[in-house]
């Protein structure tokens, strides 16, 4: 499903974010990317949704060679992926419902489809009661649920999560992880960058550890270290 | 259908959010396009005025009011026999007086001060070669004949009106071009501000896979609407120029030639369509530059 082959990414100023990274991720897997800040976790994710392009090496996602992807087809490519971030990236002038609906609207979904799907997704993330609230009326955990709902709205094959629990307390984080686990069980491949040790240890899923841009560990049922 | 509604809604909410800058852009477009239009009208008017003149007569040999009959006959003989004269029309003292009375109908004192006997009779002459050089050469020849008071050529007047209108329309055009550039920049800036106000939304749109054109179109629509609304405001100004300024020249007695200073029926409407096209294009280009430079999609 996802394959990286000798991928190297160097940022301006000779900062090497990833060096000769090779990895393969199967459909339906749940993968933790761990490592210290600056180890290249975010770059790994940004390469997968083609926000960045590698300086050398090859990346395949869903059978597509990303180096051959034309820039005009990148938006369509991204529709097969959901992204979740530490800072949620919600629109504060829109309600919970509108935030999720917006993601469908801007990829050209019709209003009937939106009216049918958004309530179902809000039900999945447990926010049906709060559909008409605005993001600043919600707790951090609830905001992250909205963000996950938005990422999942288009039923993506792959979900990329960059420190989704980074701003949340441990008990709220557990709820978010349960939600991501639920999404994974519905068939979506989940790749999550984190340095939350207790989450990684309790989930017992595949762990890829990066250290200064190099894969130093790849275990199928791993713990944080 | 949903998409059209989306574009419409986004565009107008953005205009509403950014109203003062939008108004500035629209008014700048309006003023610059009004100048473009005025310059087109003046140019067309001048072309008409001088064209009318060229079709017709116009060099005029004025005889002395007390010219002897043989002097008059000598002129007439030259006119009748010369191969370079296509035709001519004799205005006698009675005709001249009549014309004078018509011209100064609102000034009875002036009319009372003259009588047919003091009016100079004249020959209005159509030369077979109406070029300026030829006319002035002929005029010189007639001016030196006995009994001739003076020779008025149209070329001088034509040159004056040409000069005048060329200068006016050029000055207007230069000002207009500068202002059109200014309004394009202002539209660019307005759209840039609109993009800034929606930076978060744009980020999310890119994230979830909205296409580049889907993101661009509301902004380009916004710029195009600035241009079109500005042009729409400039159109009444065109009618004012036509009805007031050009009409003022037409009614003025000071320079009789200016009476031909008019644009044909429908010209103002044609010009209006041009203004809408120019306005829309300027708006679209301004916003296209803003979108490609600042949108990063």
């Amino acid at each position: 499903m996802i394959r990286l082959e000798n991928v190297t990414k160097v940022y301006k100023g000779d900062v090497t974010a990833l060096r000769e990274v090779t990895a393969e991720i199967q459909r339906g897997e749940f993968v933790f990317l761990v490592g210290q800040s600056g180890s290249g976790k975010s770059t790994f994710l940004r390469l997968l949704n083609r926000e960045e392009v590698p300086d050398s090496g090859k990346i395949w996602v869903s059978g597509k060679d990303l180096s051959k992807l034309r820039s005009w087809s990148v938006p369509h490519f991204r529709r097969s992926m959901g992204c979740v971030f530490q800072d949620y990236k919600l629109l504060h002038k829109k309600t919970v419902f509108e935030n999720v609906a917006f993601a469908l609207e801007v990829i050209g979904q019709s209003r009937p489809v939106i009216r049918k799907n958004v309530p179902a997704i809000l039900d999945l993330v447990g926010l049906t009661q709060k559909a008409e609230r605005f993001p600043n009326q919600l707790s951090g955990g609830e905001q992250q649920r909205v963000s996950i709902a938005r990422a999942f709205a288009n039923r993506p094959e792959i979900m990329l999560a960059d420190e989704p629990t980074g701003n949340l307390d441990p008990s709220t984080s557990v709820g978010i992880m349960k939600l991501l686990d639920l999404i994974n069980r519905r068939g979506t491949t989940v790749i999550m960058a984190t340095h939350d040790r207790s989450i990684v240890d309790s989930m017992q899923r595949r762990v890829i550890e990066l250290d200064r841009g190099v894969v130093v560990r790849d275990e199928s049922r791993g713990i944080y270290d | 259908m949903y998409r059209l509604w989306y574009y419409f809604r986004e565009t107008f909410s953005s205009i509403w959010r950014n109203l003062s800058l939008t108004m500035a852009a629209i008014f700048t477009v309006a003023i610059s396009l009004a100048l473009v239009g005025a310059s087109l009208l003046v140019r067309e008017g001048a072309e008409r005025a001088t064209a009318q003149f060229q079709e017709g007569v116009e060099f005029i040999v004025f005889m002395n009011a007390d010219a002897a009959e043989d002097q008059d006959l000598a002129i007439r003989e030259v006119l009748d026999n010369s191969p370079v004269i296509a035709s001519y029309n004799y205005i006698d003292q009675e005709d001249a007086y009549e014309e004078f009375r018509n011209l100064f109908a609102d000034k009875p004192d002036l009319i009372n001060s003259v009588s047919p006997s003091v009016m100079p009779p004249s020959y209005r002459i159509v030369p077979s070669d109406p070029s300026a050089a030829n006319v002035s050469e002929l005029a010189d020849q007639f001016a030196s004949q006995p009994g001739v008071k003076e020779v008025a050529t149209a070329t001088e007047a034509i040159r004056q009106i040409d000069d005048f209108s060329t200068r006016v329309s050029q000055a207007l055009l230069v000002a207009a071009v500068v202002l059109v550039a200014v309004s394009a920049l202002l539209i660019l800036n307005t759209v840039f501000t609109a993009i800034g106000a929606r930076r978060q939304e744009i980020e999310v749109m890119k994230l979830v896979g909205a296409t580049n054109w889907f993101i661009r179109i509301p902004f380009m629509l916004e710029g195009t609407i600035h241009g079109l609304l500005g042009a729409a405001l400039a159109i009444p100004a065109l009618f004012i120029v036509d009805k007031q300024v050009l009409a003022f020249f037409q009614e003025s007695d000071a320079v009789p030639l200016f009476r031909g200073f008019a644009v044909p029926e429908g010209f103002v409407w044609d010009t209006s369509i041009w203004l809408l096209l120019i306005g829309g294009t300027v708006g679209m280009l301004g916003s296209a530059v803003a979108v490609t430079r600042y949108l990063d999609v």
Side-chain angles (χ1 to χ4, degrees):
Chain A
M1 163 128 243
I2 295 170
R3 184 172 162 72
L4 291 84
E5 227 175 66
N6 303 318
V7 169
T8 297
K9 174 72 190 174
V10 182
Y11 288 113
K12 273 178 207 152
D14 276 354
V15 183
T16 304
L18 289 179
R19 194 192 308 268
E20 296 287 317
V21 168
T22 296
E24 191 163 358
I25 295 167
Q26 303 300 328
R27 184 181 296 275
E29 270 195 280
F30 195 118
V31 180
F32 287 113
L33 284 177
V34 301
Q36 294 181 327
S37 296
S39 59
K41 304 187 297 288
S42 294
T43 301
F44 192 107
L45 295 179
R46 291 163 68 83
L47 285 167
L48 293 185
N49 78 344
R50 218 263 250 120
E51 271 190 78
E52 306 278 359
V53 286
D55 294 295
S56 66
K58 292 216 156 197
I59 303 173
W60 286 268
V61 175
S62 310
K64 289 189 196 79
D65 181 348
L66 294 199
S67 66
K68 289 186 179 143
L69 204 60
R70 303 265 174 215
S71 60
W72 57 262
S73 63
V74 168
H76 293 277
F77 165 72
R78 289 208 182 125
R79 290 178 193 183
S80 65
M81 282 195 184
C83 293
V84 177
F85 300 90
Q86 185 171 359
D87 59 357
Y88 324 131
K89 296 192 195 297
L90 298 177
L91 302 174
H92 290 272
K93 287 182 180 165
K94 292 188 191 290
T95 64
V96 167
F97 185 96
E98 287 166 348
N99 263 284
V100 179
F102 184 72
L104 292 171
E105 194 178 16
V106 301
I107 60 171
Q109 295 285 12
S110 70
R111 203 123 19 117
V113 169
I114 291 170
R115 263 194 225 120
K116 185 167 145 284
N117 285 1
V118 175
I121 296 158
L122 289 179
D123 185 47
L124 178 77
V125 301
L127 284 177
T128 304
Q129 303 301 317
K130 302 197 168 168
E132 297 311 315
R133 301 272 181 92
F134 287 90
N136 59 10
Q137 298 171 311
L138 302 176
S139 69
E142 287 167 336
Q143 290 189 49
Q144 191 59 290
R145 284 170 186 274
V146 179
S147 155
I148 290 170
R150 181 180 65 193
F152 193 62
N154 198 36
R155 313 284 158 147
E157 295 174 60
I158 298 165
M159 180 87 90
L160 305 176
D162 194 354
E163 309 265 7
T165 60
N167 281 340
L168 304 175
D169 60 56
S171 63
T172 313
S173 297
V174 170
I176 294 297
M177 291 318 296
K178 279 185 178 158
L179 184 54
L180 288 175
D181 187 48
L182 177 63
I183 284 169
N184 176 240
R185 284 172 200 283
R186 292 190 166 201
T188 297
T189 308
V190 178
I191 303 170
M192 170 173 160
T194 185
H195 37 230
D196 189 327
R197 174 185 307 265
S198 61
I199 285 174
V200 177
D201 290 351
S202 66
M203 297 275 290
Q204 299 272 308
R205 297 300 187 98
R206 182 174 170 189
V207 174
I208 296 176
E209 183 178 348
L210 291 165
D211 183 18
R212 278 162 288 181
V214 178
V215 176
V216 293
R217 180 163 63 104
D218 187 347
E219 292 175 333
S220 60
R221 288 178 71 81
I223 54 169
Y224 191 83
D225 44 23
Chain B
M1 206 40 222
Y2 296 108
R3 187 164 295 200
L4 281 181
W5 169 244
Y6 170 85
Y7 292 146
F8 182 82
R9 200 188 62 200
E10 289 302 310
T11 302
F12 281 90
S13 78
S14 183
I15 285 174
W16 183 248
R17 204 169 351 193
N18 208 355
L19 200 60
S20 59
L21 207 49
T22 300
M23 293 304 255
I26 289 174
F27 281 115
T28 316
V29 173
I31 290 167
S32 48
L33 288 184
L35 285 180
V36 170
S39 124
L40 291 174
L41 288 189
V42 167
R43 177 172 296 189
E44 177 72 11
E47 239 162 56
R48 295 245 137 198
T50 52
Q52 250 180 12
F53 212 90
Q54 277 155 355
E55 280 166 19
V57 191
E58 293 333 318
F59 82 93
I60 306 171
V61 176
F62 290 98
M63 304 301 291
N64 286 322
D66 55 355
E69 202 168 326
D70 59 330
Q71 292 173 334
D72 196 52
L73 278 173
I75 298 288
R76 198 174 294 233
E77 202 182 303
V78 173
L79 290 174
D80 283 338
N81 297 322
S82 169
V84 296
I85 304 298
S87 67
Y88 69 91
N89 190 17
Y90 181 66
I91 309 290
D92 64 16
Q93 290 184 311
E94 282 297 334
D95 294 339
Y97 180 70
E98 201 54 39
E99 206 177 64
F100 187 87
R101 271 183 21 163
N102 284 337
L103 210 54
F104 296 103
D106 55 343
K107 295 191 177 71
D109 291 351
L110 200 58
I111 293 169
N112 291 337
S113 70
V114 298
S115 66
S117 63
V118 302
M119 299 302 294
S122 60
Y123 293 94
R124 304 209 164 157
I125 299 159
V126 181
S128 45
D129 172 10
S131 73
N134 184 54
V135 169
S136 69
E137 196 186 314
L138 283 174
D140 286 348
Q141 285 172 21
F142 281 101
S144 56
Q145 298 291 318
V148 172
K149 186 177 176 229
E150 73 174 314
V151 178
T153 63
T155 51
E156 187 58 31
I158 287 173
R159 212 170 296 130
Q160 273 175 4
I161 192 170
D162 253 359
D163 243 35
F164 165 80
S165 61
T166 307
R167 265 176 224 194
V168 169
S169 74
Q170 273 175 354
L172 288 177
L173 205 62
V174 167
V177 166
V178 171
L179 274 168
V180 166
V182 169
S183 41
L185 285 177
L186 205 50
I187 289 174
L188 191 155
N189 243 291
T190 312
V191 173
F192 171 57
T193 310
I195 291 172
R198 297 186 54 205
R199 201 159 281 291
Q200 274 188 315
E201 275 171 69
I202 293 166
E203 190 187 355
V204 171
M205 284 160 90
K206 284 198 255 184
L207 208 61
V208 300
T211 61
N212 295 348
W213 279 110
F214 189 88
I215 299 175
R216 284 176 191 149
I217 282 173
F219 295 113
M220 298 198 49
L221 218 53
E222 189 175 338
T224 309
I225 284 172
H226 294 160
L228 289 178
L229 285 182
L233 283 180
I235 288 170
L238 272 193
F239 281 91
I240 291 170
V241 168
D242 183 42
K243 294 277 180 293
Q244 300 293 321
V245 182
L246 295 191
F248 169 78
F249 280 122
Q250 288 155 29
E251 287 157 13
S252 143
D253 286 334
V255 187
L257 205 51
F258 278 150
R259 294 215 195 102
F261 211 95
V263 295
E265 200 83 8
F267 184 81
V268 181
W269 284 114
D270 289 352
T271 311
S272 303
I273 289 168
W274 276 109
L275 292 194
L276 284 171
L277 282 175
I278 296 172
T281 310
V282 165
M284 197 147 64
L285 289 181
S287 52
V289 171
V291 161
T292 45
R293 279 193 59 184
Y294 303 114
L295 210 50
D296 189 31
V297 296

